[in-house]
Amino acid sequence: MDGKPELTQETIDFAQRMFEAARTGNSELLLAAVDAGLPVNIMNHQGNSLLMLAAYAGHVDLTKALLERGGDPNMLNDRGQSTIAGAVFKNHEAIVRVLAENNADPRLGTPNAIQSAHMFGRTELMSVLGAREGDIGPEVPSPVPRAEDA
């Protein structure tokens, strides 16, 4: 035993329902649970928080509500990825803006949000992210050509 308490199957099932609620945008269920005491920064087996899952899936209102309840926009998952970099990758501009307005650090994670915006040619997000000279070094791959640019 590693010193961590054993979780019941009922607790595990409940947590999985909450992570699914974040992914699918079931705000009513998820926010009721958070308001009743579910830790807003709980992480799944991959280190993804409720906020990460909601933001990555494009749920703007749920992302805002989780931030209002103390969701940490600067948590990294087990792969070293940040919430804002995931939103950049998915091209969820409104969520990138909400996260930036709520102090998400665009320089956290690997690749970070600024590097992701560069790699995926999301130049419209560079100013939102506060990119400045020196943020893109030679180690950052060049932009991937987009189909609409071909």
Side-chain angles (χ1 to χ4, degrees):
M1 192 130 153
D2 60 8
K4 293 181 183 177
E6 290 292 320
L7 298 176
T8 66
Q9 189 60 48
E10 182 181 12
T11 300
I12 293 168
D13 291 345
F14 173 76
Q16 288 176 339
R17 283 194 309 274
M18 295 305 101
F19 292 121
E20 185 64 17
R23 276 190 289 278
T24 61
N26 188 340
S27 297
E28 186 176 343
L29 174 65
L30 183 58
L31 297 176
V34 169
D35 291 344
L38 178 70
V40 71
N41 290 313
I42 188 173
M43 298 167 81
N44 69 11
H45 65 286
Q46 295 175 321
N48 294 313
S49 68
L50 299 170
L51 178 63
M52 287 179 173
L53 295 171
Y56 193 75
H59 303 297
V60 178
D61 290 338
L62 182 54
T63 297
K64 288 178 185 178
L66 290 168
L67 287 164
E68 289 167 1
R69 287 164 172 80
D72 184 349
N74 292 313
M75 292 175 70
L76 299 178
N77 67 14
D78 293 350
R79 298 171 93 188
Q81 300 164 327
S82 70
T83 303
I84 196 166
V88 168
F89 172 75
K90 293 294 281 190
N91 201 22
H92 295 314
E93 185 174 343
I95 290 179
V96 172
R97 289 180 184 281
V98 166
L99 291 166
E101 290 164 4
N102 283 273
N103 302 313
D105 186 339
R107 292 172 181 81
L108 284 180
T110 306
N112 68 39
I114 294 169
Q115 292 167 335
S116 296
H118 173 76
M119 289 186 300
F120 294 102
R122 310 246 194 273
T123 55
E124 69 280 4
L125 295 176
M126 295 302 256
S127 64
V128 173
L129 297 169
R132 53 186 183 252
E133 194 171 328
D135 279 333
I136 305 299
E139 76 285 1
V140 180
S142 295
V144 175
R146 297 187 296 188
E148 62 266 22
D149 295 338

